[in-house]
Amino acid sequence: MNPKIIGTITTYPGMSQSDWLWQQTPHNFGKWGNIQMLANHPEPDFLLMYQFDFPRQPKQQSWMDKIRNYRHPQPEIDIREKFRNVPQERIIYLIREPPLAEVIEITKANYEQAKLYCGYISGPDDFAPKPDYMPAIWYHSNSFRELNEMPPPAKTKFCSWITSGVSRTANHRQRLDFIKLLQQQKLDFDLYGRNLPIWAQGNGTVNNKWHAVAPYYYNLAIENYAENDLYVSEKLWDALLAWCLPIYYGGAAADKLLPAGSFLRVPSLDEKGVQFIKEVVANADYWHEAREKIAEARQIILHELNLLNWLSNFESQEIGQ
């Protein structure tokens, strides 16, 4: 039986790769179970709208604009042209970004638009049509087989953190404040990421995330949002897949999805949190104690939480109806 083809559209910049998610399956060309991920296929069986922002309604026009548009009307682009003739019941709309206060109205507007075109609509927030966690994607370039079969790589340093200097929201600014506090308290860790402020003394952007995570026993996995029990991001998956013990700050979704003991929780992003991290990274004892739980969590991420596995299960349910 030929697999069902999953096409994809997104408004994430630069995410138009033909081989998107192919590293998340042991099979060639994006195959997993009864589906095949071919993001740019012209006639897919299913369409995944992944963090897709619908066009916003135009602002109130001036009277001059109205006259101009009346004389020289601009053709409207029908959003359905992007759907490649996939029927509504086979269009999946998944939001992966957190419901930050600064974007919550945009997210709600996207859900309302999605209801017009999509058969399944979900996101990691309570106001989504189907509230649920976002199935796992990860950002290591290693093959699935390598991740699945590898023993722990050599660990030569204690702690790293990959983040960015983004400061658009209050949550982002809280994260930057925590970097400053960690440095004031002389925590020994390596900081990587794009657009970090000069005072952060970061090591710059890494092209391959593996290089900044795998050699460390611990990785700081600090979510941008921790206020519900649905949101969890690749920050946790990437740390565990690199055989790190994550020192995690986030909501309760992680507790539902992963075995107890596979990550440690930062109690707060303040001096209490700094002291907790200092105790953990003083040696490798916590990592050794958690090694079996890390191995268990890695298998759950690879085989169960994997977005390709989720899509395969969705296809089976849809076809079986």
Side-chain angles (χ1 to χ4, degrees), residues 51 93-99 103-115 118-135 225 228-231 310:
Q51 190 61 39
Y93 187 84
L94 297 182
I95 288 284
R96 62 156 289 146
E97 294 295 340
V103 300
I104 198 167
E105 294 306 318
I106 294 175
T107 302
K108 288 180 177 179
N110 279 327
Y111 286 143
E112 290 304 309
Q113 287 292 300
K115 290 175 183 178
C118 307
Y120 183 93
I121 307 165
S122 182
D125 46 66
D126 295 329
F127 51 86
K130 293 185 181 293
D132 205 355
Y133 71 94
M134 169 57 67
Y225 182 84
N228 71 16
D229 61 355
L230 293 171
Y231 181 71
W310 187 96

Side-chain angles (χ1 to χ4, degrees), residues 156-292:
T156 56
K157 301 192 80 174
F158 283 109
C159 185
S160 71
W161 185 5
I162 302 176
T163 187
S164 77
V166 172
S167 59
R168 291 190 302 268
T169 71
N171 295 54
H172 291 133
R173 292 188 287 274
Q174 181 187 36
R175 184 178 61 191
L176 289 171
D177 289 342
F178 193 57
I179 294 174
K180 189 172 294 185
L181 185 59
L182 290 173
Q183 293 180 336
Q184 289 172 351
Q185 297 292 324
K186 307 298 183 183
L187 182 77
D188 184 15
F189 75 107
D190 290 341
L191 179 66
Y192 303 89
R194 67 184 189 281
N195 300 324
L196 288 166
I198 295 175
W199 57 259
Q201 301 176 348
N203 294 304
T205 304
V206 287
N207 185 52
N208 187 339
K209 196 171 185 178
W210 185 262
H211 297 153
V213 184
Y216 297 85
Y217 288 103
Y218 307 103
N219 178 256
L220 295 182
I222 311 297
E223 300 283 20
N224 296 328
Y225 182 84
E227 281 75 56
N228 71 16
D229 61 355
L230 293 171
Y231 181 71
V232 57
S233 78
E234 79 285 345
K235 296 177 178 64
L236 194 53
W237 320 139
D238 288 346
L240 286 162
L241 290 178
W243 280 97
C244 286
L245 178 59
I247 304 175
Y248 184 66
Y249 181 80
D255 300 304
K256 298 188 295 182
L257 299 173
L258 296 176
S262 61
F263 60 93
L264 303 175
R265 279 196 174 275
V266 180
S268 50
L269 299 184
D270 55 18
E271 291 193 5
K272 182 179 179 181
V274 174
Q275 292 307 311
F276 175 82
I277 296 170
K278 276 187 173 182
E279 177 188 337
V280 171
V281 304
N283 54 57
D285 291 352
Y286 284 91
W287 183 87
H288 286 290
E289 292 174 7
R291 179 169 165 164
E292 291 185 6

Side-chain angles (χ1 to χ4, degrees), residues 49 54 83 88-93 113-121:
M49 301 184 74
F54 287 91
F83 297 164
Q88 180 169 353
E89 64 272 14
R90 293 193 176 190
I91 299 179
I92 305 160
Y93 187 84
Q113 287 292 300
K115 290 175 183 178
L116 302 176
Y117 309 109
C118 307
Y120 183 93
I121 307 165

Side-chain angles (χ1 to χ4, degrees), residues 5-126:
I5 304 301
I6 311 289
T8 306
I9 59 174
T10 180
T11 45
Y12 271 152
M15 204 188 85
S16 60
Q17 305 99 311
S18 296
D19 60 348
W20 186 60
L21 291 190
W22 285 10
Q23 87 282 4
Q24 293 199 194
T25 172
H27 307 291
N28 292 331
F29 307 113
K31 294 180 180 178
W32 181 282
N34 46 346
I35 62 105
Q36 184 174 7
M37 173 59 72
L38 296 176
N40 299 326
H41 196 283
E43 297 181 350
D45 298 291
F46 292 81
L47 183 67
L48 171 63
M49 301 184 74
Y50 188 80
Q51 190 61 39
F52 181 85
D53 288 324
F54 287 91
R56 302 271 74 82
Q57 294 297 319
K59 294 181 179 179
Q60 185 71 32
Q61 293 180 334
S62 69
W63 65 273
M64 284 294 294
D65 289 332
K66 290 179 181 179
I67 293 174
R68 189 179 299 111
N69 290 335
Y70 176 78
R71 292 175 176 172
H72 305 285
Q74 299 296 315
E76 291 187 7
I77 298 176
D78 189 340
I79 189 68
R80 289 170 293 189
E81 294 178 3
K82 297 179 176 289
F83 297 164
R84 307 176 213 173
N85 296 317
V86 176
Q88 180 169 353
E89 64 272 14
R90 293 193 176 190
I91 299 179
I92 305 160
Y93 187 84
L94 297 182
I95 288 284
R96 62 156 289 146
E97 294 295 340
L100 297 171
E102 291 84 354
V103 300
I104 198 167
E105 294 306 318
I106 294 175
T107 302
K108 288 180 177 179
N110 279 327
Y111 286 143
E112 290 304 309
Q113 287 292 300
K115 290 175 183 178
L116 302 176
Y117 309 109
C118 307
Y120 183 93
I121 307 165
S122 182
D125 46 66
D126 295 329

